């Protein structure tokens, strides 16, 4: 089985590599890298060529060769990949897997031995050729180096709020998307996702600070990217999340939503290491929603017809010749199947001091749990190269991703899941008499406008291919001691392709696709972003004063181009290429964005006790009019390491207090949003002759500018009992002003869309964040537990000039409340008789058995003024808990995630409780009749005379949940001969095992707009339960 | 030495990159290459005409005459009913439109205001353009007409509505119904004063173009607005000036008013242009206009007989029966019945098939009534399933001018004078002389006669619901009971619901706006 997979993988790699267009792409993108440097291509090219040449010629010096073994002082185990540096130089070596090293040095040099988590040791060579060292674990083992944006810093020196994600824990969630991995991994980070293979993932850091875009900035190997798409999570070495202005101000206008910094694996000098990982898994929908079967459906629908005074439909009438009693489709049973998930990866690491590399290939595939072609498949390659020669460091990255996604199709934007649940049981899945072979409903006998989701998605072919190249090259030169100059050119090129073909078909009445309607659309997208970073760093130590300064100049270009073609008119079975369409149309769209920024940072440390950090960034962007195009951002933060100043008890290892304040920006608006344009396609006709028409269709605000976010953050960090116990507590206030948003306009304005993008609104987010961890590695059973909790309180401070609330879907955003609170009618029972209706505030056309709505404003009539706020949709708290343990060759881990204190509007349940022509929830069976009065389900009425199913408190639910996100059991196979195979581990894991919640839909963690209608659930694809079997091997 | 040189070289070249940069200050100003700036528009006579065309094009969207507006007008009458599974549609004629679901009626609201916005752009920007004075007057006159026409629909459907007259404000306050009608009349009066009676023979880019608003169209609509506000004297004078233009006459074949065969004919005072030949084939429901939008109507598929479209709107039996009240002078059934309704009649063909054969296996359909007016059912098409009907929607026919004029005569005390104008409409379809059949009617009898004549002449043309309301039948218990007996959809009428609710988005975003009573 395993060998089959390996073989399978290699075969796929071959297929991949031999795709010539991709090789071509590679070449092209390298070219773009050079283009990124604008008119200075030649100089840079020469510089690089020289640099490479330089790295090849070896500098000879008088020296001796020192070798030895580095071991752990505690158990004398060899320490592989430990570092040996000749003090005061950049000469370095790394131990091999047996802890052995060899290094050339001068006789009177001093060697510095270091290993992460261990205390450094310095030993003078003094003529020795063999130096064996045993290193002791460091009391402050947490002192790893973290990437902070245009630089790095020791974790203990951080003054801003930076969450360092435990990548091992995060990776236990097998997913295509990095954002999904972060769920439950850091306090204050919330994730919303759906179970659609390759679907979008919504991630927010510290609440909602924008009405247009709350997605954080992702920085992958120093390249700024807007979305976490197209990266193989397996390549990731570290993830840092910058949460406050103190940390993120260096990203200026991009930092307001937080920054996720991802670093992929780099090569290490040492022997060649090969790692192989492979997993395969099975996915199922965890639960089903109870809907009525044929008889129950017909009973309720007939009652709905009777109640509205109409004759029941022939298909549902046992007395009719058209009565349907031979079809009883359970659409969930018909649609669900076991989906597959696969991930195989191979990586090579090797190198010398002059050049080391990490190369990886990764294959991911996920097929849907629905019997439709929907799937997601991705190939990724990533190459990181770095090296050093004297005072010159250099490196680069090339990553290429090619993915294919078969998309779900929605009819008029309706969710496929909702349509599936609403599909009537008297419609067959298959019907060979209809064009296309799938069943449908009939106008006369069934009347329901009901979509055969299975047929619809199997007939339409809708595929998106994404090809993405991400790369950079950089060089760093130490000009004088402590002064370094870095030049980096990055390119991020995305090519997208979508092809959607809707063939002629007959899916029953209303869903007929005539030949003339049959259509093919082809879309080609290309987005290229190039960034040139120029950075100068200066580090100096003067006595107890430690100063680290950085200044930079960044230029960025982004261009987008889209070309689309559309062909309509195909006969059944006709070649579906564009050329065969009866009519072809097309068009193109392009846009360009230019940015430039200057940035700077100063870190001052006194005696390793007091630390002060200041960040500054000025951004200029073409997204705004010239007179508004500059934004200045800054932050100031400080930390006080109490443990270095005050004598703490023996067991108390570390105590640090830090705090900061700063200003961040957000520029997420559409291109050209400020400039009024005219639309030339509003044409009319006279007789049969087209007459071109031009008009302004949209409303523009010529004065739009950046959103600003200020954050204040105070935290306490502490470590106890040899730092086995770590605890951090943090409080923050994040205030965003001048939020850009599409403010809804009255239809009477006449603009389309009926909204205007403008700076209108202030929002404040406040919260507490706690992280606690305990680990015990001293005993045979090694174990650790990490937990985090974030609270969030969101409050709208201002909306526009007038303070008019903003409507969302069944929600309202208003001053003094949180964004997107549910705003609906309040149901207060069922009218039992006419007397109750007469006594109640007027509800025109209400009859006994209809829902009674509360007259909130007591004006004697139920109107839209009687809608009230029915709940906060942003979770008041979210948390994660991860546990892992090791015993001998076994390892075990699990992780919980959860959120709570929020309400959602269950739109799917609403859709199943209409009591009309579409299928019903089984709850609907308990509908009111004069005999069945003790119920909260109203009488069904196909005409909805009382609008019983209008948005109301009937469909508002508590969305708090606790999910067993993953559980994993691993076993490392004991190997006798470790010469070839280093390690083999096999494991089994489960994801999304159970959820504790009162929410009655598929999944309380659903995809929504994440903004004004955040709490509106409307048929998001449920996150599946997944079982995975995997193997990891090192050679 | 070597190291030093290389280092310097790198530093220098990097500094060069840094100093000059690849993003300049000029780069920071980017203009939209995809669309032209408004700043460059509204400069020439060509721009003026294009701006005006755009104001017309709002007539073609889903909310207006592509689909929603005919439904909103038709379904509330006793000539039509809906068994649509689409609750928002089925409830239009049942007076039960939901405030929470603005489908259809809200689309009409949205689209008419987009039309007003476009007309206001013309009225605001064109006066400053240096161009031929006569052409400018025609352009502005049509813009006034269109603003009046869209606003007519808004007041007629929604009663107290905002009246945007400028581009300055984003929010326009709600006005009374009376203020609304006053503005409608003012706009039509302006249009009537500025427009030519015909585009035939004029010079300019609009020469000979069929479908543009004329003086006659503006006057006829002005008269209609006067009639709707019970200014019978004013309306009478206005309709007289329409007739005195001498450009209108009834076409001999009644069905020529509802097919592509004889569009923009002598009877047509104003009609919305649709065509399968012009524009692309995409369905231009609404939104941001695209180059591939077609110029067709979805009315035919929506109203079509079962099997040929969606059958969302069907004639009532009351209409079918009333056609049988009076035979023609030759003793035949009123020929307007067969032009209006498909029913179980030997020999009737629909879409090239025999009605009786097609529905032979489906008795429910065989004995039902289906819309025939405005259907492409005469044999050229197999069905309406591609959504694209090219039949122009006749908004105002000369027959309507004649019958409205007759009504004005009757209401202003000249009942005897009404006969002449009613008879012109009757004679076309071979009905006997009314003065012989029903001589010497009282004013009240004549009112009922005019109601009967209008019911049959304009069935499925959206006039009945307006008539019922302006005649006060909703407030007349006897008339309301009679309507309920003819069309059970009236059973769920409650006071105030002769108007549609103001859409929720407007309620939520326009401060101080008050919802219509009854919702």
């Amino acid at each position: 089985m395993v060998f089959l997979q390996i073989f399978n993988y290699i075969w796929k790699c071959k297929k991949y590599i031999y795709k010539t267009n991709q090789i071509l792409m590679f070449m092209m993108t390298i070219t773009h890298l050079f283009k990124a440097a604008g008119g200075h291509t030649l100089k840079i090219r020469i510089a690089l060529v020289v640099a490479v040449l330089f790295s090849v010629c070896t500098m000879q010096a008088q020296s001796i060769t020192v070798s030895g073994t580095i071991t752990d002082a505690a158990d004398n185990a060899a320490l592989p990949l430990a570092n040996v540096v000749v003090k005061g130089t950049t000469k370095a070596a790394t131990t091999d897997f047996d802890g052995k090293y060899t290094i050339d040095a001068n006789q009177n040099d001093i060697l510095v031995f270091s290993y992460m988590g261990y205390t450094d040791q310095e030993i003078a060579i003094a003529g020795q050729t063999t130096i064996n060292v045993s290193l002791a674990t460091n009391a402050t083992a947490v002192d790893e180096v973290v990437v902070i944006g245009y630089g790095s810093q020791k974790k203990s020196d951080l003054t801003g709020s930076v969450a360092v994600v435990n990548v091992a824990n995060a990776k236990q969630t097998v997913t295509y998307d990095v954002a999904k991995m972060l769920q439950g991994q850091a306090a204050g980070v919330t994730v919303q996702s759906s179970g659609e293979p390759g679907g979008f993932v919504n991630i927010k850091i510290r609440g909602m600070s924008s009405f247009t875009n709350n997605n954080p900035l992702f920085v992958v190997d120093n390249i700024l990217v807007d979305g976490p798409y197209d990266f193989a999570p397996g390549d990731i070495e570290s993830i840092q999340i910058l949460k406050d202005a103190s940390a993120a101000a260096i990203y200026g206008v991009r930092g307001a939503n937080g920054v996720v910094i991802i670093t992929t694996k780099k090569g290490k000098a040492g022997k060649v290491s090969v790692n192989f990982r492979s997993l395969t898994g099975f996915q199922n929908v965890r639960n089903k929603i109870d809907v009525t079967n044929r008889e129950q459906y017909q009973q309720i629908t007939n009652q709905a017809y009777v109640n509205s005074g109409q004759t029941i439909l022939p298909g549902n009438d046992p007395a009719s010749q058209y009565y349907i009693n031979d079809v009883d489709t359970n659409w969930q049973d018909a649609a669900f199947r076991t989906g597959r998930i696969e991930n195989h990866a191979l990586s090579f690491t090797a190198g010398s001091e002059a050049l080391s590399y990490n190369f990886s290939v990764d294959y991911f595939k996920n097929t849907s749990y629905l019997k439709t072609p929907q799937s997601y498949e991705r190939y990724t390659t990533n190459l990181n190269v770095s090296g050093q020669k004297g005072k010159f460091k250099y490196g680069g990255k090339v990553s290429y991703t090619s993915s294919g996604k078969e998309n779900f199709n929605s009819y008029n934007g309706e969710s496929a899941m909702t349509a599936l649940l609403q599909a009537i049981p008297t419609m067959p899945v298959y019907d060979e008499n209809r064009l296309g072979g799938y069943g449908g409903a009939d106008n006369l006998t069934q009347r329901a406008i009901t979509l055969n989701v299975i047929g619809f998605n199997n007939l339409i072919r809708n595929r998106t291919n994404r090809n993405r190249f991400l790369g950079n090259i950089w060089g760093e030169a130490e000009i004088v001691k402590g002064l370094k100059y870095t030049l980096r050119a990055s390119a991020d090129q995305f090519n997208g392709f979508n092809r959607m073909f809707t063939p002629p078909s007959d899916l029953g009445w209303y869903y007929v696709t005539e030949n003339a309607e049959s259509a093919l659309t082809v879309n080609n997208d290309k987005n290229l972003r190039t960034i040139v970073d120029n950075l100068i760093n200066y580090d100096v130590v003067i006595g107890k004063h430690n100063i680290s300064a950085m200044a930079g100049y960044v230029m960025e270009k982004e261009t987008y181009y889209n070309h689309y073609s559309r062909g309509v008119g195909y006969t059944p079975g006709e070649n579906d290429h564009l050329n065969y369409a009866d009519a072809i149309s097309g068009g193109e769209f392009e846009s360009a964005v230019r940015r430039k920024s200057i940035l700077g940072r100063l870190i001052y440390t006194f005696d390793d006790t007091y630390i002060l950090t200041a960040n500054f960034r000025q951004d200029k962007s073409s997204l705004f009019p010239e007179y508004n195009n500059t934004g200045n951002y800054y932050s100031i933060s400080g930390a006080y390491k109490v443990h270095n100043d005050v004598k703490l008890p023996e067991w108390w290892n570390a105590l640090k207090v830090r705090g900061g304040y700063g200003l961040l920006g957000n520029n997420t608006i559409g291109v050209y949003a400020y400039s009024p344009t005219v639309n030339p396609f509003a044409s009319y006709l006279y007789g049969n002759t087209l007459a071109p028409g031009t008009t302004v269709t949209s409303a523009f605000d010529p004065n739009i500018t950046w959103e600003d976010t200020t954050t204040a953050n105070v935290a306490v960090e502490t470590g106890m009992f040899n730092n086995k116990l770590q605890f951090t507590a943090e409080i923050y206030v994040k205030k965003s002003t001048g939020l850009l948003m599409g403010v809804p306009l009255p239809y009477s304005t006449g603009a389309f869309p009926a909204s205007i993008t403008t700076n209108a609104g202030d929002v404040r987010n406040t919260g507490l964040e706690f992280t606690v961890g305990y680990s015990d590695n001293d005993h045979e059973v090694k174990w650790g537990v990490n937990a985090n909790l974030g609270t969030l309180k969101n409050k709208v401070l201002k909306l526009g000039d007038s303070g008019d609330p903003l409507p969302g879907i069944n929600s309202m955003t208003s001053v003094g409340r949180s964004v997107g609170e549910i705003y609906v009618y309040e149901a207060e029972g069922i009218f039992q008789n006419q007397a109750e209706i007469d006594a109640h505030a007027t509800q025109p056309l209400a009859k006994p058995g209809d829902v009674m709505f509360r007259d909130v404003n007591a004006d004697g009539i139920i109107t839209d003024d009687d809608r009230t706020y029915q709940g906060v949709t942003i979770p008041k708290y979210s948390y994660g808990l991860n546990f892992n343990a090791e015993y001998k060759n076994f390892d075990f881990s699990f992780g919980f995630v959860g959120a709570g204190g929020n309400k959602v509007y269950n739109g799917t349940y609403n859709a199943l409780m209409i009591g009309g022509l579409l299928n019903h929830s089984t709850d609907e069976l308990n509908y009111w009749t004069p005999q069945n009065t003790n119920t909260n389900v109203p009488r069904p009425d196909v005409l909805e005379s009382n609008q019983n199913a209008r948005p109301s408190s009937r469909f508002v639910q508590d969305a708090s949940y606790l999910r067993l996100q993953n559980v994993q059991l691993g076993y490392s196979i004991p190997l006798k001969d470790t010469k070839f195979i280093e390690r083999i581990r096999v494991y089994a894991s489960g994801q999304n095992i159970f959820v504790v919640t009162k929410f009655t839909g598929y999944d309380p963690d659903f995809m929504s707009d994440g903004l004004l209608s955040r709490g509106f659930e409307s048929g998001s694809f449920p996150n599946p339960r997944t079982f995975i079997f995997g193997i990891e091997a090192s050679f | 030495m070597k190291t030093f040189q290389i280092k310097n070289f790198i530093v220098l070249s990097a500094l060069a990159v840094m100093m000059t940069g690849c993003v300049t200050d000029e780069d920071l100003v980017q203009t939209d290459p995809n669309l032209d700036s408004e700043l460059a528009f509204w400069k020439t006579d060509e721009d003026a005409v294009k701006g005006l065309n755009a104001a017309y094009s709002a007539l073609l969207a889903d909310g207006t005459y592509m689909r929603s507006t005919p439904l909103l007008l038709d379904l509330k009458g006793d000539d039509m009913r809906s068994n649509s599974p689409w609750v928002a549609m089925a409830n239009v004629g049942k007076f039960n439109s939901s405030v929470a679901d603005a489908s259809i009626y809200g689309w009409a609201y949205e689209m008419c205001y987009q039309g007003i916005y476009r007309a206001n752009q013309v009225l605001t920007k064109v006066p400053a353009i240096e161009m031929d004075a006569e052409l400018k007057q025609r352009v502005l006159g049509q813009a006034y007409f269109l603003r009046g026409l869209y606003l007519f629909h808004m007041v007629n459907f929604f009663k107290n509505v905002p009246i945007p007259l400028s581009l300055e404000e984003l929010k326009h306050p709600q006005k009374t119904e009376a203020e609304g009608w006053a503005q409608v009349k003012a706009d039509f009066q302006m249009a009537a004063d500025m427009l030519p009676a015909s585009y035939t023979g004029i010079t300019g880019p609009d020469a000979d173009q069929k479908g543009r608003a004329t003086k006659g169209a503006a006057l006829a609509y002005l008269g209609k607005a006067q009639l709707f506000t019970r200014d019978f004297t004013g309306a009478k004078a206005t309709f007289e000036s329409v007739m005195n233009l001498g450009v209108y006459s009834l076409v001999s074949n009644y069905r020529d008013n509802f097919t592509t065969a004889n569009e923009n004919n002598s009877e047509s005072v104003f009609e919305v242009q649709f065509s399968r030949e012009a524009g692309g084939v995409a369905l231009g429901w609404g939104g941001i206009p695209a180059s591939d939008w077609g110029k067709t109507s979805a009315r035919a598929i929506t109203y079509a007989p079962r099997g040929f479209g969606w059958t969302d709107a069907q004639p009532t039996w009351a209409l079918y029966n009333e056609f049988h009240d009076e035979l023609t002078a030759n003793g035949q059934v009123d020929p307007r019945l067969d032009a209006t309704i498909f029913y179980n009649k030997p020999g009737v063909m629909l879409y090239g098939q025999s009605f009786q054969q097609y529905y032979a296996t489906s008795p429910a359909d065989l004995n039902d009534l289906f819309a025939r007016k405005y259907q492409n059912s005469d044999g050229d098409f197999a069905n309406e399933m591609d959504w694209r009907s090219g039949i122009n929607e006749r908004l105002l026919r000369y027959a309507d001018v004649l019958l409205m004029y007759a009504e004005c005569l009757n209401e202003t005390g000249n009942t005897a004078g009404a006969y002449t104008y009613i008879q012109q409409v009757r004679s076309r379809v071979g009905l006997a002389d009314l003065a012989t059949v029903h001589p010497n009617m009282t004013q009240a009898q004549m009112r009922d006669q005019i109601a009967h004549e209008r019911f049959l002449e304009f069935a499925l043309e959206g006039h009945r619901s307006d008539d019922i309301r302006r005649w006060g039948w909703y407030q007349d218990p006897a008339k309301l009971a009679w309507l309920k007996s003819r069309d059970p959809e009236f059973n769920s009428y409650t006071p105030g619901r002769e108007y549609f609710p103001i859409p929720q988005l407007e309620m939520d975003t326009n401060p101080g706006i008050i919802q219509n009573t009854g919702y």
Side-chain angles (χ1 to χ4, degrees), chain A residues 485 590 686 748-749 867 943, chain B residues 14 34 53 91 170 506 508:
Chain A
Y485 168 68
E590 59 183 318
Y686 301 105
S748 56
T749 309
R867 292 172 300 165
L943 289 174
Chain B
N34 309 289
N53 291 342
N91 273 330
L170 289 172
E506 186 79 22
D508 287 342

Side-chain angles (χ1 to χ4, degrees), chain A residues 436-458:
Chain A
Y438 291 94
D442 173 69
N443 184 347
L444 180 69
T445 58
Q446 291 157 308
R447 195 63 54 87
I449 300 177
T450 178
L451 177 65
N452 181 339
V453 174
I454 300 171
F456 190 69
N457 277 293
N458 276 294

